[in-house]
Amino acid sequence: MRKLLAHLRARLRGDAGMNTAEYAVGTLAAVAFAGILLKVLTSGSVQKALTSVIDRALS
C-alpha cells in the first residue's frame, strides 16, 4: 500500500502543466467566449447603451 501511495504522489507531483488535449479544450473555450462576447457587444441595444454611457461621461 505504501508503494502505491508513493507512486501516486510521484505521478501527481510530476505533472508540470497541461497536456495538448487540455490546451485544445482551453483554447476552444476561450474562442467560444470571445465569439459570444463579440456578438453581444456588437448588438444594437448594447451599442446604444454604451454610446449613451460614453455621451453622459463626456457631457
Side-chain angles (χ1 to χ4, degrees), residues 17 21 30 32 42 46 51:
T42 57
V46 173
T51 303

Side-chain angles (χ1 to χ4, degrees), residues 5-26:
L5 288 175
H7 177 71
L8 286 175
R9 283 189 197 120
R11 292 279 297 177
L12 290 174
R13 286 187 193 138
D15 192 13
M18 293 193 297
N19 62 30
T20 305
E22 290 168 332
Y23 276 119
V25 170

Side-chain angles (χ1 to χ4, degrees), residues 36-44 46-47 50:
I36 291 169
L37 187 61
L38 178 67
K39 193 70 174 172
V40 167
L41 290 178
T42 57
S43 70
V46 173
Q47 282 185 347
L50 288 174

Side-chain angles (χ1 to χ4, degrees), residues 2 4 6-7 22 27 31 33 37-38 40 44-46 50-51 53 56 58-59:
R2 269 189 173 167
L4 177 63
H7 177 71
E22 290 168 332
T27 302
V31 169
F33 180 72
L37 187 61
L38 178 67
V40 167
S45 59
V46 173
L50 288 174
T51 303
V53 167
R56 277 188 271 147
L58 294 176
S59 297

